[in-house]
Amino acid sequence: MVKLASALPKENERNGIANRTRDLIRNYDSGAMIPVLMLVRTQEVIRNKDFETVPKIEVVHIEAVPDDQADEIRERIVQLHDARVGHKKQPLNFGDDPEAEQPEPAAPLELIASTDAAGVEDAEVVADEEPDDQ
């Protein structure tokens, strides 16, 4: 786990996303994302309620990626993601591409409820397919 300090750099020299305010506002309804590059450092190390040691990082420098380089950065993110997880489960979807193929939602499971002679209620999940015997 890593915690993120909430503040961006206040200095214009280190906050390159501030000049994209109009783009961020315009993209609000569509959910479109603007790729950024950041430099972070550990601001503090804390111990949470579960006694885990957790670094809290702060954004030291942030730059919005120019539109003509956005696809290249997105592709690099996909490459880094796939290398980190060790396999490609499904295409990485950033959630802002209306043309991206979305997985079909699973059909809802059916429940059969019953009450026995002692008044104990029970429910059973009914699957559409029987699992393969192994």
Side-chain angles (χ1 to χ4, degrees):
M1 177 190 296
V2 174
K3 291 201 176 257
L4 179 63
S6 60
L8 290 173
K10 293 187 186 336
E11 304 85 23
N12 191 39
E13 188 122 337
R14 296 185 344 183
N15 186 347
I17 191 118
N19 66 340
R20 298 288 300 267
T21 302
R22 287 184 180 174
D23 294 332
L24 293 165
I25 293 169
R26 184 177 60 245
N27 294 342
Y28 175 72
D29 289 332
S30 71
M33 298 178 202
I34 296 175
V36 299
L37 296 174
M38 296 189 312
L39 296 174
V40 299
R41 72 170 156 225
T42 304
Q43 183 181 59
E44 68 179 300
V45 176
I46 57 177
R47 195 172 282 265
N48 68 13
K49 65 182 180 181
D50 297 324
F51 302 103
E52 297 171 318
T53 304
V54 178
K56 182 177 181 182
I57 60 173
E58 66 177 322
V59 177
V60 177
H61 194 112
I62 185 168
E63 290 294 334
V65 174
D67 291 338
D68 64 341
Q69 297 174 24
D71 289 342
E72 179 184 346
I73 296 302
R74 287 173 182 257
E75 180 56 35
R76 186 66 179 131
I77 289 171
V78 169
Q79 292 169 357
L80 291 168
H81 169 265
D82 293 348
R84 177 176 54 84
V85 299
H87 64 285
K88 190 172 187 175
K89 280 173 77 172
Q90 344 177 318
L92 188 59
N93 181 356
F94 295 106
D96 63 341
D97 182 1
E99 307 235 346
E101 188 174 315
Q102 302 294 324
E104 289 292 322
L109 297 175
E110 181 182 346
L111 290 177
I112 297 177
S114 62
T115 305
D116 66 11
V120 176
E121 291 186 18
D122 189 20
E124 177 182 346
V125 175
V126 180
D128 289 339
E129 299 176 12
E130 293 294 320
D132 295 335
D133 292 333
Q134 295 178 356

